[in-house]
Amino acid sequence: MDTPKILSVQALEEKKLLVKFVNDVEKIYDCNPLLSREMFEVLKNDAFFKSVQVDSGGYGISWNDDADLSEYELWTNGVEVALSENK
C-alpha cells in the first residue's frame, strides 16, 4: 500500500501532533522520542513546535529546513484516532 499524503497537521499538548491524511484517517504522533536528537531539539520550544506546517504536496511536515518528518514516518508510527475521540 502506498503511504497516503498528509492533508493537515495540528500541534497538540505534550509534544504530540494530530495528522490528518487524504484518506480521512487521523493519527496522533508523539514527538517526545525525537527531542533527544540534535536536529529536533528546537521542538522543545512550544511556540516553535506549534509552527508546524504540511509540506507542499503532502509528502511530510516541517518546522524548518532541518526539522521535518515524512508522511511515511507519521503514517507508520502514528496511532490512529477513533473518529469519536476528536469530534
Side-chain angles (χ1 to χ4, degrees):
M1 178 184 122
D2 289 334
T3 305
K5 302 301 173 236
I6 298 166
L7 191 61
S8 65
V9 62
Q10 178 183 351
L12 304 175
E13 298 297 316
E14 300 176 2
K15 303 297 186 220
K16 295 181 181 179
L17 299 171
L18 175 62
V19 183
K20 184 171 184 176
F21 294 86
V22 295
N23 60 359
D24 286 331
V25 172
E26 292 184 346
K27 294 193 175 194
I28 301 286
Y29 184 87
D30 186 355
C31 292
N32 282 292
L34 304 175
L35 300 179
S36 62
R37 296 166 66 187
E38 185 177 344
M39 68 188 295
F40 292 108
E41 284 182 354
V42 293
L43 301 185
K44 292 176 183 177
N45 177 298
D46 285 336
F48 187 80
F49 182 76
K50 291 176 183 176
S51 73
V52 64
Q53 296 184 2
V54 178
D55 291 341
S56 179
Y59 291 97
I61 61 166
S62 59
W63 290 269
N64 63 21
D65 288 342
D66 297 321
D68 57 17
L69 295 168
S70 70
E71 82 279 17
Y72 179 82
E73 169 67 18
L74 297 164
W75 178 258
T76 304
N77 295 309
V79 177
E80 192 165 343
V81 177
L83 291 178
S84 60
E85 283 185 49
N86 59 350
K87 298 291 179 220

